[in-house]
Amino acid sequence: STNLPMEPRYHTPEEEIALGPACWLWDYLRRSGQSGYFLPLSGGIDSTATSCLVYSMSVQVFESVQSGCQEVLQDLRRIVRDPQFLPGSPQDICSRLFTTCYMGSENSSSETRQRAEQLAKEIGASHLALRIDAAVSALVAIFVACTGLQPKFRAHGGSAQENLALQNVQARVRMVLAYLFAQLVLLARGLTGNLLVLGSANLDEGLRGYMTKYDCSSADVNPIGGISKSDLRSFIRYSMRRHGISILGEIFSAPPTAELEPLAANGQLAQTDEVDMGMTYDELSAYGRLRKLDKCGPVAMFLRLRRLWPQHSAKVVADKVKHFFRSYSINRHKVTVLTPSYHAEAYNIDDNRFDHRQFLYNVNWPWQFQQIDQLVDQMAGCEPVLTTDK
């Protein structure tokens, strides 16, 4: 007999994000022989999305166990090193496989600490909270004793170079602590095994280079390394609806921030990612897709965006394109050490598999920027471009 026709079911992009990386995380975990995942959880969109993917993995594992799949149950018991373990909920699985840690500093706000704690509680993760100030101060003190220079944040009168160095040392301390905890935290609980460290740097920031080399973007695996910021935000909204995680609404509405610079006098944020980058995430996504998918250089990108952004003058578009390419070239070396990530589309940053361009550029792009300047001069006397690409 013949089978009846079946209607194909196409997953939405948000469902693809929820299901694909989650399966990848489970497969990686069961093959690696490790006992779970460890994530520095900042309370921002990126680490929150990574946490939601681990929870999505736990949901799928739980549903498989509930459906009677003995292979999945055996893998789960082997991973948690408990031959009698039988989960009663996805949270039970998360509590055994997933440890999160809020690594706060004097520059962290109480809001992000509370969001991280609440998220871990809702998904069932084992959660820790600590302060990194003592470690950061010790490292800076070694530098001061050796050189006599006391670096200061920009807010305290320091230079841009000092300001960046003080941010970077905080970020790198978190990476070192993440690996220390991943190796020993189970032992501290009287258990055996090690945890894999999860990274949480998104695709757009990888392309722009808006991350510290060898900070928490350096990890064993990074489930969101091939996903753009805009897609991650859509995924967060989806997770709110799908799993009923209430704190996600507050996290979604909060301005993205690295919290590496001193807070304002009232305890509120003085640093946001978009101001730091000099571009919005929507703009960054547009640059990234033109660069990676359409292979645009500076001139081609300028011409494309001049049509796509008719609300901006030619000079404004030119300045934006130049700023992106300067940032892209300065930070290009970072893509050579990116953490292995899940990849599901052509828009990608993984240097070893998808992008074979050189990583050392002339950051001034002299010929290209000169061509853009000439085009801006030619356009100066013309009517504004009103058409947009379809």
Side-chain angles (χ1 to χ4, degrees):
S1 62
T2 58
N3 292 326
L4 293 175
M6 295 177 62
E7 285 294 326
R9 183 185 184 285
Y10 297 100
H11 292 295
T12 65
E14 294 79 11
E15 288 174 328
E16 289 185 358
I17 293 172
L19 299 175
C23 290
W24 181 71
L25 284 171
W26 174 247
D27 193 53
Y28 197 101
L29 180 58
R30 71 185 187 87
R31 289 171 182 268
S32 69
Q34 302 305 299
S35 300
Y37 287 112
F38 181 92
L39 173 70
L41 179 59
S42 69
I45 284 284
D46 293 337
S47 60
T48 293
T50 303
S51 297
C52 288
L53 287 176
V54 176
Y55 183 69
S56 180
M57 177 197 78
S58 300
V59 168
Q60 292 183 69
V61 171
F62 177 71
E63 290 174 348
S64 294
V65 171
Q66 289 291 96
S67 69
C69 182
Q70 289 301 307
E71 183 180 358
V72 171
L73 180 58
Q74 289 171 8
D75 281 340
L76 179 60
R77 287 173 171 174
R78 175 175 53 82
I79 291 169
V80 301
R81 290 168 167 77
D82 182 353
Q84 305 302 319
F85 179 59
L86 187 64
S89 68
Q91 283 82 356
D92 285 348
I93 296 174
C94 243
S95 69
R96 300 292 291 269
L97 297 183
F98 192 33
T99 298
T100 57
C101 183
Y102 181 79
M103 299 183 181
S105 74
E106 61 184 2
N107 302 319
S108 303
S109 64
S110 59
E111 289 82 5
T112 54
R113 178 182 57 79
Q114 291 164 2
R115 289 174 199 139
E117 183 179 348
Q118 181 62 29
L119 175 62
K121 181 179 179 180
E122 290 195 47
I123 66 175
S126 299
H127 186 66
L128 304 166
L130 55 85
R131 294 286 293 254
I132 64 170
D133 299 308
V136 171
S137 297
L139 290 172
V140 173
I142 293 172
F143 174 80
V144 174
C146 184
T147 66
L149 173 66
Q150 177 67 61
K152 299 177 183 177
F153 283 105
R154 182 165 39 204
H156 300 155
S159 65
Q161 190 171 356
E162 294 171 78
N163 193 67
L164 183 59
L166 290 175
Q167 292 184 68
N168 287 344
V169 72
Q170 295 172 73
R172 290 178 175 130
V173 160
R174 289 186 170 112
M175 184 272 288
V176 173
L177 286 172
Y179 275 97
L180 176 64
F181 273 76
Q183 287 185 288
L184 296 178
V185 72
L186 292 183
L187 181 64
R189 297 174 189 159
L191 303 172
T192 59
N194 298 305
L195 302 178
L196 293 166
V197 179
L198 288 177
S200 56
N202 68 65
L203 167 57
D204 294 328
E205 291 173 351
L207 186 71
R208 160 65 171 77
Y210 184 64
M211 58 187 181
T212 300
K213 200 173 187 179
Y214 305 120
D215 67 350
C216 283
S217 62
S218 295
D220 293 313
V221 288
N222 178 10
I224 68 168
I227 306 173
S228 70
K229 189 80 165 189
S230 58
D231 287 341
L232 286 176
R233 291 179 65 82
S234 297
F235 167 65
I236 291 293
R237 288 196 298 266
Y238 165 84
S239 296
M240 259 190 296
R241 300 189 305 269
R242 172 71 172 81
H243 301 300
I245 305 172
S246 60
I247 192 61
L248 294 183
E250 185 178 333
I251 294 172
F252 181 87
S253 302
T257 174
E259 290 195 328
L260 295 172
E261 294 189 52
L263 299 171
N266 60 1
Q268 298 301 305
L269 295 175
Q271 177 190 33
T272 62
D273 291 352
E274 292 186 334
V275 172
D276 264 4
M277 292 191 298
M279 61 189 73
T280 67
Y281 276 106
D282 287 340
E283 289 174 343
L284 179 53
S285 184
Y287 301 141
R289 291 185 179 277
L290 287 173
R291 178 62 174 163
K292 296 292 293 186
L293 295 182
D294 296 344
K295 308 296 189 293
C296 288
V299 178
M301 187 180 293
F302 166 73
L303 292 172
R304 289 285 293 277
L305 290 177
R306 182 69 181 106
R307 295 194 301 274
L308 290 169
W309 293 345
Q311 71 275 23
H312 294 308
S313 69
K315 179 67 166 60
V316 168
V317 175
D319 289 342
K320 287 178 178 289
V321 169
K322 289 178 181 179
H323 177 60
F324 167 74
F325 271 96
R326 286 193 188 99
S327 303
Y328 168 82
S329 350
I330 289 170
N331 293 291
R332 180 72 179 153
H333 62 97
K334 296 177 184 178
V335 303
T336 64
V337 293
L338 286 178
T339 298
S341 303
Y342 174 86
H343 303 289
E345 62 170 328
Y347 177 35
N348 214 286
I349 187 58
D350 191 308
D351 185 67
N352 294 321
R353 281 172 281 181
F354 287 90
D355 192 336
H356 300 289
R357 296 185 183 98
Q358 70 265 32
F359 63 89
L360 184 60
Y361 284 99
N362 183 336
V363 300
N364 295 315
W365 298 80
W367 185 89
Q368 291 89 342
F369 286 4
Q370 183 182 43
Q371 297 303 306
I372 290 176
D373 290 339
Q374 291 175 4
L375 288 167
V376 170
D377 291 339
Q378 292 172 16
M379 295 174 181
C382 301
E383 291 294 319
V385 178
L386 299 178
T387 59
T388 60
D389 287 350
K390 296 297 185 183

